[in-house]
Amino acid sequence: QKEVEQNSGPLSVPEGAIASLNCTYSDRGSQSFFWYRQYSGKSPELIMFIYSNGDKEDGRFTAQLNKASQYVSLLIRDSQPSDSATYLCAVRSGGSYIPTFGRGTSLIVHP
Amino acid sequence: NAGVTQTPKFRILKIGQSMTLQCTQDMNHNYMYWYRQDPGMGLKLIYYSVGAGITDKGEVPNGYNVSRSTTEDFPLRLELAAPSQTSVYFCASSPPPGTSETEQFFGPGTRLTVL
């Protein structure tokens, strides 16, 4: 059973701070890692993907992957109230078409 | 370019009724997926398709059926609706995994209640 674990939160951070969202996974064969943002009542939107160990930056978002420790994280710098949403982590094994999703972490950025 | 569209947006069914959730994409994506999302939970894959005429089961296929006669359309059929099928259903599409990972798109969802 492939498992993807996220703290459901909510994670509350002040505006301008760095929000750190974490995700661990059980399948050592996992090769692709995704972060989705989902606003309340809306559909998920892919915001980051990573497949190599280390950091990947895109604007205010940084994804960090550590395959040895089986975790992937998402950092949001200069957090804004508009970043308040649920962030879903998804992991896909090599040779698979199908990602496994975590339950998501709720992020609240307060002014 | 409408992306992924789903109909209806909302539906209330009685136990034992049947319905079809429609999903259409206009991006010529080979891969299409149906997920359900229960409150406070992540997405659970119901069925997926890698191309017209090819479908396969996901994690939670019981009580559902799909077909894929064209690249654009991937309807999800609920037979004999049960309260356990109350959920939000998302359709998604993408190119083959590993080709263009940023091109993953979800439809707006169908909120289904079975009473």
Side-chain angles (χ1 to χ4, degrees):
Chain A
Q1 179 84 3
K2 298 173 185 176
E3 295 184 346
V4 177
E5 300 287 342
Q6 295 182 257
N7 187 324
S8 61
L11 173 66
S12 182
V13 301
E15 184 174 357
I18 296 175
S20 178
L21 305 160
N22 298 313
C23 173
T24 60
Y25 59 94
S26 63
D27 182 9
R28 285 198 172 272
S30 300
Q31 293 190 355
S32 303
F33 306 85
F34 306 88
W35 283 100
Y36 298 80
R37 178 177 60 200
Q38 186 175 27
Y39 293 115
S40 181
K42 301 296 186 182
S43 56
E45 174 193 10
L46 178 66
I47 56 172
M48 289 288 286
F49 78 93
I50 187 169
Y51 53 86
S52 298
N53 271 330
D55 295 359
K56 180 181 179 181
E57 187 174 318
D58 184 1
R60 294 186 298 112
F61 298 102
T62 299
Q64 298 177 318
L65 175 61
N66 184 324
K67 290 186 179 179
S69 301
Q70 294 177 246
Y71 81 80
V72 56
S73 61
L74 179 70
L75 303 179
I76 306 175
R77 289 183 301 281
D78 188 23
S79 295
Q80 301 297 310
S82 58
D83 294 325
S84 299
T86 295
Y87 289 81
L88 299 167
C89 171
V91 174
R92 192 174 70 212
S93 299
S96 171
Y97 307 133
I98 309 304
T100 300
F101 282 82
R103 295 172 64 169
T105 297
S106 174
L107 173 65
I108 299 172
V109 181
H110 54 87
Chain B
N1 190 338
V4 181
T5 58
Q6 291 183 238
T7 57
K9 286 186 169 51
F10 303 94
R11 184 72 184 268
I12 297 175
L13 283 182
K14 294 182 179 178
I15 294 172
Q17 287 185 321
S18 300
M19 75 166 294
T20 299
L21 281 67
Q22 302 291 345
C23 175
T24 300
Q25 55 93 8
D26 63 359
M27 296 168 284
N28 201 34
H29 286 163
N30 288 330
Y31 284 63
M32 296 187 74
Y33 314 80
W34 273 107
Y35 294 94
R36 59 176 287 172
Q37 186 176 37
D38 299 327
M41 303 295 286
L43 300 171
K44 297 290 187 184
L45 183 68
I46 305 171
Y47 271 95
Y48 68 100
S49 169
V50 302
I54 306 170
T55 63
D56 207 348
K57 296 178 181 179
E59 280 181 273
V60 289
N62 291 344
Y64 307 94
N65 275 301
V66 294
S67 59
R68 183 97 181 269
S69 57
T70 67
T71 299
E72 294 78 19
D73 299 306
F74 190 38
L76 178 71
R77 177 82 176 162
L78 278 72
E79 306 281 2
L80 299 174
S84 61
Q85 293 178 305
T86 294
S87 190
V88 180
Y89 292 83
F90 291 106
C91 178
S93 75
S94 73
T99 58
S100 181
E101 300 286 11
T102 56
E103 282 193 50
Q104 295 182 34
F105 298 103
F106 283 81
T110 295
R111 189 173 297 271
L112 176 67
T113 302
V114 182
L115 300 174

